[in-house]
């Protein structure tokens, strides 16, 4: 198997919005060519069918069925579509709760929808969830505890920004953590990331929302996270890549 990427290091991007890039189709093709493993998350259930169809034969790109917390207030009825498509989706996301001031108005609705999503996923079992928890880490963990028994699937906390005690709670729930370059920019971020157990560590780009060098991050930019993570934990990018790849295999097996 050829795994040619930047510096020939295998890249794993567990949270990227490929369908929000203007060159979506080319980007899927590029990830396939370079053997970049991507979980292409969506923000609305309505986006599921064409993303699913576009990647029906992809070897490296998987699609998540999503219902983003920042849009649930605009279209709460799409929970019905979510439920309908959920039977054909192994990967779920982006889902979660956003507690930042701009989204406070819909907080209760977000929580209700998130918990309904968790119930649906728990009932079916075997799913892998990528979860948003900006300014809402404690409520997200509370909802997971109540609505998603650890035996019913796997949870990846994407762009985790909680504190150490929240990290401990998430660890106890068996959560994985997908780390992006932005999380490693501040001392606080690096301190938290350094406390993530290596066997739970994954990587992400969160493109195109996250930017690197003034442009939307692409899956290949996960290399930056590998390099920075390596510096943080005293390993080479190659070693970090091996750890992430091993974690991914465990997650999907
Ligand atoms: Mn995202």
């Amino acid at each position: 198997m050829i795994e040619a990427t930047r510096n020939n290091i295998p890249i794993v991007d567990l949270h990227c919005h490929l369908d929000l890039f203007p060159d979506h189709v080319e980007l899927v093709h590029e990830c396939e060519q370079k053997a970049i493993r991507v979980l292409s998350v969506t923000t609305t259930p309505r986006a599921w069918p064409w993303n699913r169809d576009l990647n029906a034969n992809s070897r490296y790109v998987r699609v998540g069925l999503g219902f983003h917390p920042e849009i649930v207030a605009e279209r709460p009825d799409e929970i019905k579509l979510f439920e309908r498509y959920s039977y054909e989706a192994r990967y779920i996301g982006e889902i979660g709760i956003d507690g930042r001031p701009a989204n406070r108005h819909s907080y209760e609705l977000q929580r209700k929808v998130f918990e309904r999503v968790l119930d649906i996923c728990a009932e079916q079992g075997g799913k892998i969830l990528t979860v948003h928890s900006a300014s809402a880490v404690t409520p997200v963990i509370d909802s997971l505890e109540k609505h998603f028994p650890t035996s019913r699937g796997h949870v990846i906390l994407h762009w985790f920004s909680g504190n150490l005690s929240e990290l401990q709670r998430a660890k106890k729930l068996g959560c994985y953590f997908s780390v992006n370059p932005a999380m490693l920019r501040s001392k606080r971020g690096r301190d938290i990331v350094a406390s993530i157990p290596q066997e739970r560590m994954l990587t992400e780009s969160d493109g195109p929302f996250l930017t690197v060098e003034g442009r939307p991050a692409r899956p290949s930019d996960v290399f930056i996270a590998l390099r920075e993570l390596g510096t943080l934990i005293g390993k080479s990018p190659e070693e970090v890549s091996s750890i992430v790849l091993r974690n991914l295999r465990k997650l999907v097996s």
Side-chain angles (χ1 to χ4, degrees), residues 6 9 15 17 22 48 59 73 80 84 89 92 97 122 131-133 135 143 155 166 175 193 196 198 213 247 249 251:
R6 195 150 153 196
I9 297 176
H15 189 109
H17 300 262
W48 170 256
R59 192 163 164 209
K80 292 173 199 144
R84 190 205 298 171
I92 303 293
I97 304 175
V131 177
H132 174 115
S133 58
S135 298
S143 294
V155 175
E166 289 166 327
C175 294
V193 171
I196 297 172
Q198 280 177 30
E213 295 153 3
N247 293 342
R249 293 200 167 113
L251 178 72

Side-chain angles (χ1 to χ4, degrees), residues 140-155:
V140 160
I141 295 172
D142 290 343
S143 294
L144 287 169
E145 275 180 358
K146 278 182 271 176
H147 294 266
F148 200 71
T150 53
S151 62
R152 300 307 292 159
H154 291 293
V155 175

Side-chain angles (χ1 to χ4, degrees), residues 70-231:
E70 289 180 87
I71 66 157
V72 296
E74 287 167 25
R75 48 182 91 193
D77 285 351
E78 281 194 37
I79 189 67
K80 292 173 199 144
L81 263 188
F82 179 94
E83 182 161 19
R84 190 205 298 171
Y85 294 137
S86 64
Y87 295 93
E88 47 184 81
R90 181 177 186 206
Y91 299 89
I92 303 293
E94 179 166 1
I95 54 169
I97 304 175
D98 189 298
R100 291 175 292 185
N103 299 300
R104 287 271 168 74
H105 65 100
S106 62
Y107 179 85
E108 267 315 306
L109 178 64
Q110 290 181 48
R111 198 174 55 80
K112 216 173 120 203
V113 168
F114 179 52
E115 293 186 348
R116 177 73 192 124
V117 162
L118 293 177
D119 288 339
I120 291 166
C121 294
E123 194 187 311
Q124 294 173 32
K127 298 194 191 297
I128 296 168
L129 284 47
T130 174
V131 177
H132 174 115
S133 58
S135 298
V137 176
T138 289
V140 160
I141 295 172
D142 290 343
S143 294
L144 287 169
E145 275 180 358
K146 278 182 271 176
H147 294 266
F148 200 71
T150 53
S151 62
R152 300 307 292 159
H154 291 293
V155 175
I156 306 163
L157 293 178
H158 125 80
W159 202 328
F160 178 83
S161 57
N163 57 36
L164 278 176
S165 67
E166 289 166 327
L167 181 72
Q168 293 303 331
R169 284 184 71 199
K171 272 161 60 178
K172 274 198 195 122
L173 286 177
C175 294
Y176 286 77
F177 302 85
S178 52
V179 176
N180 64 49
M183 293 165 69
L184 299 160
R185 283 177 197 154
S186 69
K187 162 103 172 57
R188 181 183 180 276
R190 287 192 297 274
D191 287 348
I192 293 289
V193 171
S195 304
I196 297 172
Q198 280 177 30
E199 67 276 13
R200 302 285 184 80
M201 202 173 266
L202 296 167
T203 44
E204 65 168 45
S205 69
D206 201 18
F209 293 112
L210 191 153
T211 55
V212 294
E213 295 153 3
R215 56 169 176 81
R218 296 168 80 86
S220 54
D221 292 313
V222 164
F223 178 79
I224 300 168
L226 292 175
R227 194 184 57 204
E228 307 284 313
L229 267 170
T231 304

